[in-house]
Amino acid sequence: MASAVDSLPIVGNHPQAEVRSCDTTSLPVCLTAQQFIRWHAVVAVVFLLIGGIGALLLALTRWPAVHLLDAEWYYRILTLHGLNMLIFWILSFEIAVLYFAGTVLLNTRLASKWAAYVCFGMMLVGSVMVDITIMGGKADVLMTSYVPLMATPWFYLGIIILAVGALIGVFNFLATIYIAKRDHTYEGSVPLVVFGATAAAIIAVGTLLHGAVVMIPTWLWSMGVISEIDPSWYRITWWGLGHMSQQVNVCAMVSIWYLLGTLTVGAKPLNQAVCRGAFVLYILFINLASAHHLLVDPGVGAGWKIWNTSYAMYLAVLASMIHGFTVPASIEVAMRGKGFTRGMFGWLAAAPWSNPGFSGFFLSLIIFGFGGGITGVVLGTQQINIMAHNTLRIPGHFHVTVVGGTTLAFMALTYYVVPLIFQRDFYAKTLCRLQPYVFGGGITLMAVGMSFAGSYGVPRRHWDIEFTGGQFAVGFDAGAHAMLGIMGVGAVIAVIGLLMYVLLVVAAVFFGPRIAGQAMPPWHEEPARPADAVTDQSEEHKTPGTLVLAIVFLAAFAVYYFANWMWLADVWEVR
Amino acid sequence: MSIYNPPAGWFKAPTGAERLWVGLALTWCIIMSLAMPYWHFYGKQNSTGESYRVSVADYGARVQQFVESNTVGTEQGVPIVEIAPGGDGYLLARMWAFYPIIKLKKGQTYRLHISSLDLQHGFSLQPLNMNFQVLPGYDHVLTITPTSSGIFSIICNEFCGIGHHSMTGRIIVED
Ligand code: HEM
Ligand SMILES: [Cu+2]
């Protein structure tokens, strides 16, 4: 295959003095990209903090024994929390990840510095506009702003500006990949992490376009230019934005799992074709999964609901199940290669659990898989959704996907971003090592409380489950109240984990010891090769431990799935 | 390594445990995909989304007519309205109440229409925990058969403004 071009030496396309060689990995770091990675990461953490303060207030309101905020402020903070977390924090961090994967791993410069400025500026201005309108009480419409609820035009305009800004960032990433290819800065296929990031970027384009299609008419409507927006059309299109963006998050998170597997234990994927194929499944089969927010809606029929749930979702589910195997399998192979061959799980026990980059990533994998994945598929089953729609089961589900999964993976990555990109060291490393456990444990407990409370029928987005002032007396039994208490305790723990993260990161980024010019201090000592290590001579990598874990997972999945069908069979008949 | 360009020849079929897992996962996904159409035909609980466009004024008029011709009593000033078995009943959702109280008989089948006069609402039947979306402009028809009797509450579970938490309603089912 060696053509003339292929035999040229591989050199980056960096202008003089705009690149440095990483002191730890020797990878070439584009300084422009580095600057924007820093900016987006810092802004992301600020939004996380705003959302985190909101989270505490919300949880303390939903916990009936505390019931902190009044109704108006509960819905206001709910709007604030949803948008700052799900959109501003996640999107800002993702742009930083794209800039990293696009430049450093492909040995190229960022395509356009100006586009990066515009992207950053628009995202910041848009988000701040949205937050100001919310806090000013002009947009008590929740994150979804379902029509005909109406906010001030500035709210919708802020979202549009933010979305267009993010779209410019995504195009800058795609352009970066293009110039890397054009300038021949790498050889062969792109690294897996870049492949995953590209999948995320492609889906993000679709997502943000849906956002424009739904938000621009809604903005015009809020100014009186358009007289009516159909609520069913709005829901379908809004969820084209709202759900597809979750697939962006999944792609970004899985790419980070692979990245951290490599950075922490030197893992390599067993079979790149499988991993890449799974990313392609995400791109191809996610678009209509927005359907699973509309499973009990009028306006769309059973055929549409079933087809879009299974065709679009289950091949994306398959993709997640594949990554859920290949990621731990790559860890198992790496650890066995280091001599940790004892028994089924000796490799797992010997993994560097004191390295927050590893523990955060592995907890994210477990919480996302066992928690978010299983509940997501079950709640998204067309008929089972009757027992779940708009109950607390739904936030119970997505707090173990986008929080225990994506957010925790982002946090784990930060333990490498700060030393490698900000070139600063952390203080209080013991707290750093604890942080993923506190956050992951708290959020899991909270999600369990929410899910069970939701099974009792407790609604989401609801200020008072005593229904004070209602025309009829309604209430929930003691079990539901107990579950809301568990939710509250879990939430407080999770918020402590979140604040630990914010404090540790801020202290390191702004005041941490500078480590430019030195390799980053390792998070864990490489353990010595055990004396009883057996060296596997065979060509094929054995992953018995991962296979057992995967089968346990499948069994848990099946039990929960069929149990829900049984519960469904007990409710009234309905067609 | 996931951060370096893969060596040439990376495109190959999976082997061993990985291949087994891909097969298992695919099988499971197919089972789940088939479960939904199966339940659609043989199961008793489905959301078919049967619905018709209706103007807010027309729907309000239908509810009014339904209440006028079928009221059997009142409770706390709210009419209790009985649907004839096999017949159509009209429930109205608005900020912040469900109107009227619906009366049914266990084991009979009814066509219960639901729509909204203003914002989006959620129809959440407790303590059964059955949930359906209510949109203004759409007459959402649930063909329901109560299989248990007693007094059931309807709560709203789609945010509909500051009084959302006080939006309740009632369905009475007699043996
Ligand atoms: C310490 C961490 C967190 C805690 C304790 C927490 C807690 C909560 C609570 C109590 C609610 C309100 C549920 C309701 O009343 O309906 C909520 C809603 C929500 N949270 Fe979180 N959360 C946390 C982090 C996050 C993160 C990191 C994200 C996104 C990345 C997120 C996304 C959301 C979304 C989208 C909603 C729904 C908003 C809505 O219904 O409009 N949360 N959260
Ligand atoms: Cu309502």
Side-chain angles (χ1 to χ4, degrees), chain A residues 143-145 214-215 233-243:
Chain A
M143 176 186 82
T144 40
S145 56
V214 69
M215 276 301 143
W233 173 84
Y234 180 94
R235 289 170 66 81
I236 295 176
T237 321
W238 197 92
W239 281 112
L241 158 82
H243 201 86

Side-chain angles (χ1 to χ4, degrees), chain A residues 197-283:
Chain A
T198 310
I202 292 171
I203 303 172
V205 172
T207 304
L208 295 164
L209 289 178
H210 273 95
V213 169
V214 69
M215 276 301 143
I216 291 173
T218 309
W219 176 51
L220 295 175
W221 167 76
S222 72
M223 293 189 299
V225 179
I226 292 179
S227 65
E228 202 195 320
I229 303 240
D230 183 86
S232 181
W233 173 84
Y234 180 94
R235 289 170 66 81
I236 295 176
T237 321
W238 197 92
W239 281 112
L241 158 82
H243 201 86
M244 273 171 90
S245 64
Q246 301 320 308
Q247 217 60 28
V248 179
N249 299 342
V250 171
C251 278
M253 173 185 71
V254 172
S255 305
I256 290 174
W257 290 347
Y258 284 115
L259 175 60
L260 284 171
T262 298
L263 290 177
T264 56
V265 300
K268 39 174 166 276
L270 303 191
N271 182 319
Q272 296 247 356
V274 171
C275 305
R276 287 167 200 245
F279 277 119
V280 172
L281 287 180
Y282 282 143
I283 304 177

Side-chain angles (χ1 to χ4, degrees), chain A residues 486-543:
Chain A
I486 291 178
M487 174 203 83
V489 173
V492 170
I493 299 174
V495 169
I496 293 173
L498 184 148
L499 293 178
M500 283 166 74
Y501 169 81
V502 173
L503 286 176
L504 291 164
V505 170
V506 167
V509 163
F510 293 104
F511 312 106
R514 290 177 189 279
I515 51 168
Q518 344 163 0
M520 80 175 255
W523 280 108
H524 68 272
E525 298 294 323
E526 254 329 294
R529 197 178 171 82
D532 61 353
V534 250
T535 315
D536 187 357
Q537 300 294 356
S538 73
E539 264 290 285
E540 194 176 301
H541 296 301
K542 301 258 181 341
T543 56

Side-chain angles (χ1 to χ4, degrees), chain B residues 93-98 118-122 155-161 163-165 167:
Chain B
R94 62 171 176 221
M95 293 153 80
W96 290 292
F98 288 96
D118 37 52
L119 301 176
Q120 304 194 14
H121 296 284
I155 60 176
C156 175
N157 67 3
E158 186 62 81
F159 174 64
C160 56
H164 164 53
H165 66 272
M167 181 163 168

Side-chain angles (χ1 to χ4, degrees), chain A residues 25 27 71-72 75 105-106 140-142 146-149 186-194 228 230-233 235 258-259 262-263 266-274 276 295-302 305-306 309-310 314-315 317-318 321-322 325-326 377 380-383 385-391 454-457 459-464 467-474 476 540 543 547 550-551 553-554 557-558 561-562 565 568-575, chain B residues 1-8 10-22 24-53 75-76 78 96-101 104 109 118-122 124-149 152-171 173:
Chain A
T25 62
L27 290 167
E72 188 175 32
Y75 296 119
L105 299 184
L106 292 183
D140 295 336
V141 292
L142 306 192
Y146 285 142
V147 301
L149 272 175
Y186 63 93
E187 205 163 16
S189 312
V190 299
L192 179 60
V193 171
V194 181
E228 202 195 320
D230 183 86
S232 181
W233 173 84
R235 289 170 66 81
Y258 284 115
L259 175 60
T262 298
L263 290 177
K268 39 174 166 276
L270 303 191
N271 182 319
Q272 296 247 356
V274 171
R276 287 167 200 245
L295 294 178
V296 295
D297 265 36
V300 281
K305 291 172 182 177
I306 292 177
T309 305
S310 59
Y314 293 151
L315 287 177
V317 169
L318 176 66
M321 289 176 76
I322 291 175
F325 179 90
T326 58
V377 175
T381 302
Q382 199 242 332
Q383 294 92 345
N385 190 256
I386 293 173
M387 300 187 300
H389 179 69
N390 275 353
T391 68
S455 308
Y456 282 98
R460 70 183 288 202
R461 299 178 153 183
H462 198 280
W463 175 64
D464 178 22
F467 304 88
T468 313
Q471 57 180 349
F472 306 108
V474 188
F476 288 97
E540 194 176 301
T543 56
L547 189 60
I551 286 174
F553 166 82
L554 193 57
F557 199 160
Y561 183 71
F562 289 116
W565 280 116
L568 181 67
D570 281 345
V571 302
W572 288 0
E573 296 174 14
V574 59
R575 281 205 80 75
Chain B
M1 297 259 169
S2 340
I3 61 172
Y4 298 114
N5 307 95
W10 56 267
F11 195 84
K12 52 181 193 283
T15 51
E18 190 169 23
R19 180 198 189 104
L20 174 65
W21 177 250
V22 173
L24 279 174
L26 182 61
T27 312
W28 176 237
C29 288
I30 292 172
I31 293 174
M32 291 194 301
S33 291
L34 294 177
M36 286 184 292
Y38 170 83
W39 197 271
H40 179 77
F41 291 110
Y42 302 103
K44 304 262 186 243
Q45 294 80 13
N46 282 287
S47 170
T48 56
E50 181 181 346
S51 55
Y52 306 92
R53 297 303 307 255
E75 194 183 316
Q76 299 175 36
V78 185
W96 290 292
F98 288 96
Y99 174 89
I101 300 173
L104 307 173
T109 300
D118 37 52
L119 301 176
Q120 304 194 14
H121 296 284
S124 176
L125 188 64
Q126 300 299 339
L128 287 167
N129 197 15
M130 297 177 73
N131 306 280
F132 296 92
Q133 190 74 23
V134 185
L135 303 182
Y138 287 83
D139 174 3
H140 192 175
V141 188
L142 305 178
T143 305
I144 53 166
T145 311
T147 51
S148 51
S149 57
F152 298 87
S153 300
I154 311 170
I155 60 176
C156 175
N157 67 3
E158 186 62 81
F159 174 64
C160 56
I162 192 78
H164 164 53
H165 66 272
S166 65
M167 181 163 168
T168 56
R170 189 150 274 187
I171 292 184
V173 182

